[in-house]
Amino acid sequence: MQLNLNKPICFFDLETTGINITNDRIVEISILKVHPNGKEETYTKRVNPTVPIPPEVTLVHGISDEDIADAPTFKDISKEVYQMIKDCDLGGFNSNRFDIPVLAEEMLRSEVDFDMKNMQSIDVQTIFHKMEQRTLSAAYKFYCDKNLEDAHSAEADTLATYEVLKAQLDRYAELENDSNFLAEFSSRKKFADFAGFIIYNKEGIECFSFGKHKGKLVTEVLDKEPGYFGWLLNADFPLYTKKVLTAIKLRAFNNKLS
């Protein structure tokens, strides 16, 4: 099916030195730009990340330090990448949680004023997870290899849920058998930044999600403790998080003037 577009969309994927949004770097970028009339443009570049690629990461994507020794840095190509995605929407697989945040960091690090406020983002992985069956019956069959008889009866569903959780703990070593961990792991929050340091509360207002001010409104904290803003800007937080914080502070300042 042809996409019904009102402006171009750039599907893209990144290979990186790791999975840390703040510290890891791009080693390859590939973009497929699709125009409303169906015309397609492609762009693929290897990138010198200026830091070593861990051997275990090379095993994943096959790109070694030697492969990108003579490649341009991201700063060298940042303006041409920006020109390609400017005024476009973005698409990818797990792109909302990884590729877009990493791209934003690299752009801001290269002094390109990247901002998503006029861009839509389509994450194909999220669509996949929402469209494919995620019912208790499907989970019970997948994890326990049993058919859920009397599905939607309270007792059967309750017992199946308990069995599924135990099977998940058996299957995934990264899950901790701890109620607090599992509660946090299974929660879903809406983030104001990409990395999740700033979340929206039930009223849609930005709050801190970490540290001594966890759960407090960002505007109230910055107003009562002005030095905290300076500390955040100088600490090792993602550049996009700092950009969001600055925007919140400026918005609060302008509201006071109006």
Side-chain angles (χ1 to χ4, degrees):
M1 181 181 290
Q2 183 70 32
L3 288 179
N4 182 19
L5 303 173
N6 53 29
K7 68 177 181 178
I9 181 170
C10 287
F11 295 94
F12 78 104
D13 186 67
L14 306 176
E15 303 299 340
T16 64
T17 59
I19 58 174
N20 185 294
I21 291 170
T22 306
N23 297 321
D24 281 308
R25 301 289 190 268
I26 295 172
V27 298
E28 187 175 59
I29 180 170
S30 185
I31 303 170
L32 170 63
K33 185 172 184 176
V34 182
H35 294 264
N37 64 3
K39 177 187 173 184
E40 297 178 359
E41 298 176 60
T42 59
Y43 174 97
T44 300
K45 276 283 178 74
R46 289 276 176 93
V47 179
N48 187 329
T50 71
V51 297
I53 304 173
E56 62 271 19
V57 177
T58 294
L59 289 174
V60 175
H61 53 49
I63 302 172
S64 66
D65 291 334
E66 294 74 20
D67 294 329
I68 44 78
D70 297 323
T73 66
F74 189 84
K75 188 170 185 178
D76 293 332
I77 66 168
S78 59
K79 288 183 173 57
E80 64 189 44
V81 170
Y82 180 70
Q83 285 303 313
M84 188 158 192
I85 68 173
K86 183 182 178 184
D87 300 323
C88 299
D89 293 329
L90 297 178
F93 195 86
N94 194 34
S95 48
N96 286 350
R97 297 180 62 185
F98 183 72
D99 299 87
I100 291 176
V102 171
L103 180 63
E105 290 300 294
E106 290 277 35
M107 285 290 193
L108 294 174
R109 202 177 288 121
S110 300
E111 300 179 347
V112 175
D113 189 20
F114 179 81
D115 202 304
M116 286 290 296
K117 65 183 178 183
N118 295 318
M119 292 177 164
Q120 298 289 347
S121 61
I122 299 176
D123 193 326
V124 176
Q125 186 191 65
T126 301
I127 295 174
F128 168 52
H129 287 170
K130 288 187 174 182
M131 295 305 294
E132 287 305 305
Q133 194 176 29
R134 289 293 184 270
T135 63
L136 178 57
S137 296
Y140 196 52
K141 181 65 176 177
F142 180 80
Y143 288 108
C144 306
D145 197 25
K146 299 177 183 177
N147 293 317
L148 180 54
E149 305 295 339
D150 298 320
H152 302 300
S153 74
E155 182 175 350
D157 287 359
T158 299
L159 293 173
T161 301
Y162 176 50
E163 286 191 48
V164 167
L165 177 57
K166 290 190 293 182
Q168 287 174 327
L169 288 167
D170 288 335
R171 181 180 288 259
Y172 305 120
E174 59 267 39
L175 290 181
E176 295 179 18
N177 197 351
D178 174 81
S179 295
N180 290 333
F181 173 87
L182 294 171
E184 181 66 23
F185 187 86
S186 59
S187 67
R188 291 192 176 187
K189 296 171 181 163
K190 189 176 179 183
F191 305 140
D193 63 338
F194 293 126
F197 291 109
I198 306 169
I199 62 174
Y200 292 104
N201 63 13
K202 293 180 180 179
E203 288 73 39
I205 303 173
E206 300 95 342
C207 297
F208 287 111
S209 68
F210 68 98
K212 64 180 181 179
H213 294 305
K214 184 175 181 179
K216 297 180 182 177
L217 299 181
V218 173
T219 50
E220 290 184 0
V221 171
L222 299 186
D223 184 55
K224 294 177 182 177
E225 196 174 328
Y228 193 58
F229 178 71
W231 176 80
L232 290 168
L233 292 188
N234 290 311
D236 187 26
F237 288 97
L239 295 174
Y240 202 86
T241 299
K242 295 176 183 181
K243 181 182 176 75
V244 171
L245 282 168
T246 301
I248 294 171
K249 185 174 178 65
L250 287 174
R251 185 185 69 207
F253 178 75
N254 289 332
N255 287 340
K256 284 184 178 181
L257 293 179
S258 59

